[in-house]
């Protein structure tokens, strides 16, 4: 009888201890879950006045994008400010808002080097809303996981919590100031064009739309070739900027004038001397571009529009 009671008592004690262990474990687990902040990005995009990038590729050299009135500017390496297209800033803010932790990778400064979130080796993103710093994010190691899953390890400045988030963030934020300048050379609706004048070193000719077809100096063009060429010409961008003082600009060598239904023509010039080849567009007056590989896309010869010559039999 004593043995039965003893066994029963032991089973009751064991059950109580097991229940207590389960409750304690659940409590600790819940506590840990509550301290896992899944919303580390807390910014009001409408209130953002400044975005500062410290790209790893530039060894942490600051890229400063600021809002003045309703426009955005980026401070280039030459000390000058250039307009930043609003679409580029919008895309940057959208990418920031998409950063959502999917797991807590570590909670120790000892792991900073492993996940490459040390201040000295990482890309950093700072967002300001007036005098308030609303974000200071350190972007670390990139990881590729199957099937085709990309993620990045990040942490907030001043915190030892390291999060794993979706995406290859370094590709978005590890950029130079030039990446945020206006890359427009020509951006226009070719269907509204009525005359293009090409002034080249060896010849000058006009491409004119008579309402039915394009004519080159009065000669009918190859409609398919002309359509393809104008499609390409209507959308030209370039990120190879050349910073040169206006008083040091070489002479104009070539010129393209695009007249359209909007009234104001688009004028693109090629400025060239023995050491410089520069492209400038009236659609992007504050920027100059390196003409290498760009000039051939703009200052076209007649054969880009005329029918191919038939070989003599």
């Amino acid at each position: 009888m004593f043995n039965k009671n003893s066994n029963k008592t032991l089973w009751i004690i064991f059950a109580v201890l097991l229940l207590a262990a389960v409750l304690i474990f659940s409590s600790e687990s819940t506590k840990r879950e509550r301290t896992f902040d899944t919303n580390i990005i807390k910014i009001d995009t409408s209130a953002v006045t400044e975005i500062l990038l410290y790209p790893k590729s530039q060894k942490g050299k600051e890229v400063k994008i600021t809002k003045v009135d309703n426009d955005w500017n980026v401070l280039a390496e030459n000390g000058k400010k250039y307009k930043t297209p609003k679409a580029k800033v919008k895309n940057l803010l959208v990418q920031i808002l998409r950063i959502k932790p999917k797991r807590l990778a570590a909670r120790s400064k000892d792991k900073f080097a492993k996940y490459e979130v040390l201040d000295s080796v990482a890309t950093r993103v700072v967002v300001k809303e007036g005098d308030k710093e609303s974000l200071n994010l350190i972007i670390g190691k990139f990881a590729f996981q199957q099937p085709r899953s990309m993620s990045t390890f990040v942490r907030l400045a001043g915190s030892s919590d390291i999060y794993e988030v979706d995406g290859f963030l370094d590709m978005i934020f590890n950029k130079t100031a030039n990446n945020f300048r206006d890359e427009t050379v020509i951006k226009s609706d070719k269907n509204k064009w009525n005359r293009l004048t090409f002034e080249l070193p060896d010849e000058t000719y006009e491409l004119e739309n008579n309402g039915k077809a394009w004519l080159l100096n009065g000669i009918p063009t190859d409609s398919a070739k002309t359509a393809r060429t104008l499609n390409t010409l209507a959308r030209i961008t370039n990120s190879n900027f050349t910073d040169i003082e206006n008083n040091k600009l070489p002479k104009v060598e070539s010129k393209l004038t695009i007249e359209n239904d909007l009234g104001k023509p688009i004028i693109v010039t090629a400025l060239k001397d023995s050491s410089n080849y520069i492209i400038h567009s009236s659609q992007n007056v504050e920027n100059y571009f390196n003409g290498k590989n760009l000039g051939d896309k703009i200052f076209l010869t007649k054969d880009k529009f005329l029918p191919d010559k038939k070989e003599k039999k």
Side-chain angles (χ1 to χ4, degrees):
M1 185 72 178
F2 177 77
N3 289 336
K4 285 184 179 181
N5 288 336
S6 297
N7 288 340
K8 186 176 181 180
T9 301
L10 288 173
W11 277 110
I12 292 172
I13 294 172
F14 176 76
V16 171
L17 291 174
L18 181 62
L19 179 61
V22 170
L23 290 173
I24 292 171
F25 178 80
S26 298
S27 177
E28 288 298 316
S29 177
T30 302
K31 185 178 180 181
R32 283 195 297 271
E33 286 295 322
R34 286 176 179 174
T35 57
F36 179 88
D37 190 357
T38 59
N39 186 26
I40 62 173
I41 307 299
K42 300 170 183 176
I43 64 173
D44 178 0
T45 56
S46 64
V48 173
T49 56
E50 195 169 64
I51 303 171
L52 305 173
L53 303 180
Y54 300 87
K56 180 171 61 177
S57 62
Q58 303 300 303
K59 297 182 179 180
K61 188 174 182 179
E62 184 179 83
V63 174
K64 188 175 184 179
I65 307 167
T66 55
K67 188 177 185 180
V68 180
D69 295 327
N70 199 37
D71 294 320
W72 288 90
N73 297 291
V74 62
L75 183 64
E77 291 184 11
N78 61 8
K80 293 183 179 180
K81 289 183 179 180
Y82 295 91
K83 288 182 180 178
T84 298
K86 292 179 182 178
K88 289 194 174 189
V89 177
K90 181 180 179 181
N91 179 63
L92 202 60
L93 293 173
V94 166
Q95 296 298 331
I96 291 173
L97 290 175
R98 285 178 179 171
I99 298 173
K100 302 286 184 183
K102 56 183 180 181
R103 75 179 182 94
L104 186 62
R107 269 191 163 166
S108 171
K109 292 182 179 180
D110 295 337
K111 301 293 184 181
F112 284 6
K114 176 183 176 181
Y115 292 105
E116 298 177 11
V117 289
L118 289 163
D119 290 343
S120 58
V121 298
T123 293
R124 188 155 57 97
V125 181
V126 175
V127 177
K128 290 186 177 181
E129 299 172 19
D131 295 330
K132 172 190 171 186
E133 185 179 276
S134 54
L135 179 67
N136 193 330
L137 185 72
I138 297 167
I139 298 172
K141 184 178 179 180
F142 162 74
F144 182 80
Q145 300 167 336
Q146 295 294 345
R148 296 182 180 180
S149 174
M150 296 180 289
S151 61
T152 303
F153 295 95
V154 303
R155 73 176 176 89
L156 295 172
S159 172
S160 58
D161 289 355
I162 303 169
Y163 301 95
E164 183 179 3
V165 303
D166 283 323
F168 185 15
L169 301 189
D170 216 40
M171 183 177 68
I172 300 168
F173 301 104
N174 187 17
K175 294 185 175 181
T176 67
N178 279 354
N179 291 121
F180 298 97
R181 288 167 66 172
D182 188 351
E183 300 172 0
T184 302
V185 181
I186 300 175
K187 184 180 181 181
S188 181
D189 182 358
K190 71 176 182 64
N191 295 314
K192 296 186 182 298
W193 295 355
N194 46 54
R195 183 184 290 107
L196 287 78
T197 303
F198 292 85
E199 300 176 48
L200 310 179
D202 299 325
E203 63 178 348
T204 295
Y205 67 91
E206 285 189 354
L207 190 71
E208 186 174 8
N209 190 336
N210 66 2
K212 296 180 180 179
W214 285 97
L215 306 175
L216 194 155
N217 289 349
I219 301 172
T221 65
D222 183 305
S223 58
K225 285 178 68 175
T226 300
R228 288 195 301 269
T229 302
L230 294 182
N231 276 334
T232 302
L233 194 61
R235 290 287 184 273
I236 295 181
T237 60
N238 194 271
S239 59
N240 194 0
F241 297 97
T242 294
D243 297 323
I244 188 169
E245 299 296 332
N246 286 332
N247 59 358
K248 296 180 181 179
L249 288 172
K251 293 181 179 180
V252 174
E253 181 193 68
S254 300
K255 182 178 178 181
L256 168 62
T257 302
I258 302 174
E259 298 175 54
N260 52 65
D261 294 339
L262 301 176
K264 190 174 182 179
I266 299 167
I267 300 173
V268 185
T269 53
L271 305 100
K272 197 171 185 179
D273 59 22
S274 59
S275 56
N276 293 292
Y277 184 19
I278 299 168
I279 304 297
H280 186 247
S281 171
S282 63
Q283 288 195 304
N284 189 353
V285 294
E286 69 178 4
N287 289 297
Y288 294 88
F289 302 91
N290 189 321
K292 185 179 180 181
N293 302 322
L294 177 60
D296 291 343
K297 298 178 182 178
I298 300 168
F299 305 103
L300 307 171
T301 53
K302 292 178 181 179
D303 60 290
K304 298 294 183 182
F305 303 100
L306 295 176
D308 295 332
K309 292 182 179 180
K310 294 181 180 180
E311 295 183 5
K312 293 183 179 180
K313 293 183 179 180

